[in-house]
Amino acid sequence: MIARTWSGRTTIAKEQAYIDHFTRNVLPELQTLDGFMEASLLRQEHGDEVGIFVITKWTSRDAIRAFAGDDIERAVVEPEAAAALTTSQTLARAPADIFGAQSIMSRAFVNEDAGGRDTPLRRFVLPDRDDPGYDEAAALALLEGAAEGDTESAEVATGYYWGERKLRSYVERALTRAREAGDEAAIRAAERFLR
């Protein structure tokens, strides 16, 4: 896994314009690329400015090249994004993962928690953790949470993060069932999990 990081700054007034650009344009493009795993969009206020931090995760450096070109450390900043920023890095860093644990930032959909959580965490009905069917139920809960834009609740309820390798076989089965049923939302969620 390769984590590619980039940052920029904007004003509080222009912050939403960047978030909108990222969720409307950048994220949908990333989701079409083989090897893209997930993205996180973070913010930090600095007086009148807001620091924007983007972390994308990829299966390989070749996958990043499909997005960024041959120089994978060259920042990709489209004109609409540049217009919303006061400054931005010209380089993006792409260090390789040396430890396989997933971070607490894992989310299936980047913007689901923007602005803080106004609603309580959703409850999922799951068997006991020692039940042989627990992992399959957890996989289905993660997919359901993602489809509803509430991955956080599913992660908290199951104790697993989005993309957990241990759950892949269950998600593959769910994908087969979704394809047979023609459930496009479930197909998209399962395919994203398996990236």
Side-chain angles (χ1 to χ4, degrees), residues 19-34 36 39 67 78 109-110 192 195:
I19 292 169
D20 291 345
H21 167 73
F22 186 87
T23 56
R24 274 195 334 264
N25 302 314
V26 178
L27 189 57
E29 178 186 345
L30 294 174
Q31 291 170 331
T32 67
L33 299 174
D34 288 337
F36 169 74
F67 170 68
E78 296 174 1
F109 300 100
V110 174
R192 290 216 59 241
R195 286 186 184 166

Side-chain angles (χ1 to χ4, degrees), residues 89-111:
Q89 289 182 331
T90 57
L91 295 177
R93 303 290 179 220
D97 184 22
I98 58 171
F99 183 73
Q102 290 184 315
S103 73
I104 197 162
M105 295 183 325
S106 175
R107 295 284 178 268
F109 300 100
V110 174
N111 202 31

Side-chain angles (χ1 to χ4, degrees), residues 1 5 8 13 26-27 34 41 45 66 79 104 112 117 160 162 178:
M1 189 272 299
T5 62
V26 178
L27 189 57
D34 288 337
L41 180 60
E45 287 189 25
I104 197 162
E112 71 181 31
R117 176 169 280 282
Y160 287 118
W162 182 259

Side-chain angles (χ1 to χ4, degrees), residues 4 9 11 15 27 29 33 36 45 48 51 59 67 69 77 83 97 108 132 135 144 155-156 164-165 173 181-182 186:
R4 186 171 189 267
R9 284 185 179 259
T11 62
E15 175 187 13
L27 189 57
E29 178 186 345
L33 299 174
F36 169 74
E45 287 189 25
D48 293 336
T59 58
F67 170 68
V77 183
D97 184 22
D135 286 348
E144 184 180 329
E155 288 178 334
V156 170
E164 172 66 49
R165 292 180 196 274
R173 281 187 247 161

